[in-house]
Amino acid sequence: MRKNSIKNTRVNAEVQKELAELIRGGIKDPRIHPMTSVTGVEVAPDLKTCKAYISVLGDEEAKKNTIAGLRSAESYIRRQLAKTVNLRNTPEIRFILDESIEYGVTMSRLIDEVSRKDAAQEV
């Protein structure tokens, strides 16, 4: 199975949807920030491993605590994923902090500042 095959894309989407549901309502760990979202999932073609990209809206401590909480709940999440997603193998999940949304917001803010300065200089 190629990395970007249709089957792999469907598996990625299904695992992402179920992970988001589990994180939102299935885990009671107080370390996990309420504004946590799954931005992407990459399941390996052999279905053995999975990289889950997690975005947290909060400060650095909230991000660190959320990732720690998710890593401690990996076995529970994997077990619940096995129950809800019908796959030959349930992938081992690695949680990776995704800061691309925050980076995009920062870059957008910087571009807006520069455009305001240019507009002020033209007047």
Side-chain angles (χ1 to χ4, degrees):
M1 181 167 59
R2 293 186 324 270
K3 186 171 184 173
N4 292 329
S5 69
I6 294 169
K7 181 180 176 186
N8 201 3
T9 304
R10 286 183 188 160
V11 168
N12 289 343
E14 187 66 24
V15 169
Q16 181 176 353
K17 184 182 87 168
E18 292 300 328
L19 272 178
E21 283 292 320
L22 276 170
I23 290 172
R24 187 177 319 116
I27 302 174
K28 305 289 189 253
D29 194 334
R31 295 179 289 182
I32 297 175
H33 196 270
M35 294 297 289
T36 301
S37 61
V38 181
T39 57
V41 169
E42 290 179 7
V43 178
D46 62 355
L47 303 175
K48 297 283 185 189
T49 60
C50 169
K51 293 179 186 176
Y53 296 96
I54 305 296
S55 177
V56 180
L57 187 64
D59 58 348
E60 287 298 318
E61 187 175 335
K63 292 177 185 179
K64 189 170 64 173
N65 289 340
T66 298
I67 293 297
L70 288 172
R71 286 189 178 143
S72 71
E74 272 180 8
S75 61
Y76 171 77
I77 293 171
R78 186 175 183 192
R79 197 167 41 253
Q80 294 302 317
L81 198 63
K83 290 179 183 176
T84 57
V85 179
N86 186 18
L87 295 173
R88 181 177 301 140
N89 298 318
T90 303
E92 185 177 325
I93 304 166
R94 283 192 0 218
F95 293 102
I96 300 169
L97 186 62
D98 184 14
E99 296 180 343
S100 62
I101 295 173
E102 215 171 281
Y103 179 75
V105 168
T106 303
M107 292 306 290
S108 178
R109 193 176 310 128
L110 290 173
I111 291 170
D112 290 344
E113 271 182 39
V114 169
S115 63
R116 267 188 262 121
K117 286 180 184 177
D118 284 348
Q121 286 178 354
E122 288 178 6
V123 174

